Amino acid sequence: MKNNSIKITKKEVLSDNWYTLRKVTYEYLNKNGIWETHTREAYDRGNGAVILLYNTASKKVILTQQFRLPTYINGNDTGMMIEACAGLLDQDNPEDCIRKEIKEETGYEISKVKKIFETYMSPGSVTEILYFFIAEYNNEMKISDGGGIAEEQENIEVLELDFDKAIKMMYSGEIKDAKTIMLLQYAKIHDLM
């Protein structure tokens, strides 16, 4: 249902380099019945999907590690982040996207994935909806070394970690990625291991 207390009056593209940054001016009807003018910026990078691969027999999870410039700029001395496998949907539906990302990033081919929820990760400034999945993996599903796509300049290291170690890394701050923390907590709460 459309929100009748919002009227967008102007949109400007501030940047359309890697993704799109827009400046939006809108009228907002506040709770006192008064129209206010607001101006905000919204970063549109598209929607994405993320997955936690887990193995109940070995009690391990597959995560990735790669350089993330924004974290480096904001004080992460190495810029390296440990994350769950993820990617942008582009023109794919979330399930097809995450299956493709699993193969490219981790080298596993997974046919059965389970969607657990979807969420806005940073609704104050980013338009992205992220679709969260889980899936079991085993060694027979490994078809390559993974590591990402060279032409996309992906330099991804695949990590197979004990689940308990990954949880400890989350609490110690070695894992600081929100989507990965959410998936690890989901696995812990739902006793996947």
Side-chain angles (χ1 to χ4, degrees):
M1 184 162 114
K2 189 168 170 82
N3 185 343
N4 292 322
S5 62
I6 303 290
K7 295 177 188 172
I8 295 178
T9 58
K10 186 177 182 183
K11 289 184 187 178
E12 301 171 70
V13 174
L14 300 179
S15 175
D16 195 12
N17 183 18
W18 190 251
Y19 302 113
T20 305
L21 177 63
R22 287 185 180 86
K23 181 179 179 182
V24 179
T25 303
Y26 61 96
E27 301 293 319
Y28 174 75
L29 183 62
N30 71 24
K31 63 182 179 181
N32 297 323
I34 299 169
W35 286 95
E36 302 171 342
T37 300
H38 294 219
T39 301
R40 301 288 187 272
E41 293 177 5
Y43 193 55
D44 185 354
R45 51 176 265 117
N47 295 327
V50 61
I51 192 162
L52 181 67
L53 298 176
Y54 66 96
N55 183 308
T56 53
S58 67
K59 299 196 182 319
K60 292 185 182 289
V61 293
I62 299 289
L63 298 176
T64 63
Q65 181 170 264
Q66 62 185 306
F67 178 77
R68 296 296 196 182
L69 177 65
T71 73
Y72 184 75
I73 292 169
N74 197 27
N76 177 0
D77 290 341
T78 66
M80 301 303 286
M81 292 290 289
I82 297 173
E83 306 174 40
C85 174
L88 294 177
L89 300 187
D90 299 321
Q91 301 304 312
D92 294 330
N93 69 52
E95 285 189 21
D96 290 342
C97 167
I98 203 59
R99 281 191 202 94
K100 179 182 75 169
E101 292 295 333
I102 294 166
K103 192 183 297 185
E104 291 173 2
E105 290 188 8
T106 71
Y108 286 83
E109 189 165 43
I110 308 287
S111 58
K112 186 178 177 185
V113 298
K114 178 183 175 185
K115 181 182 167 196
I116 54 174
F117 52 81
E118 60 189 70
T119 186
Y120 288 98
M121 292 300 291
S122 189
S125 59
V126 181
T127 62
E128 178 186 35
I129 294 173
L130 194 57
Y131 298 88
F132 285 72
F133 293 89
I134 56 172
E136 287 199 63
Y137 77 93
N138 60 49
N139 292 337
E140 289 76 42
M141 297 174 179
K142 189 161 180 68
I143 58 169
S144 75
D145 291 335
I149 306 272
E151 40 291 352
E152 292 180 14
Q153 297 178 316
E154 293 181 319
N155 296 293
I156 298 169
E157 180 183 354
V158 181
L159 307 173
E160 186 175 37
L161 300 172
D162 290 326
F163 178 69
D164 289 338
K165 179 179 181 180
I167 293 293
K168 287 177 185 170
M169 292 170 76
M170 179 183 74
Y171 288 116
S172 73
E174 292 172 84
I175 295 176
K176 291 184 179 177
D177 176 64
K179 63 189 179 297
T180 305
I181 291 170
M182 292 167 73
L183 284 166
L184 290 171
Q185 288 176 336
Y186 179 91
K188 183 85 170 158
I189 290 167
H190 291 89
D191 293 321
L192 296 183
M193 306 285 183

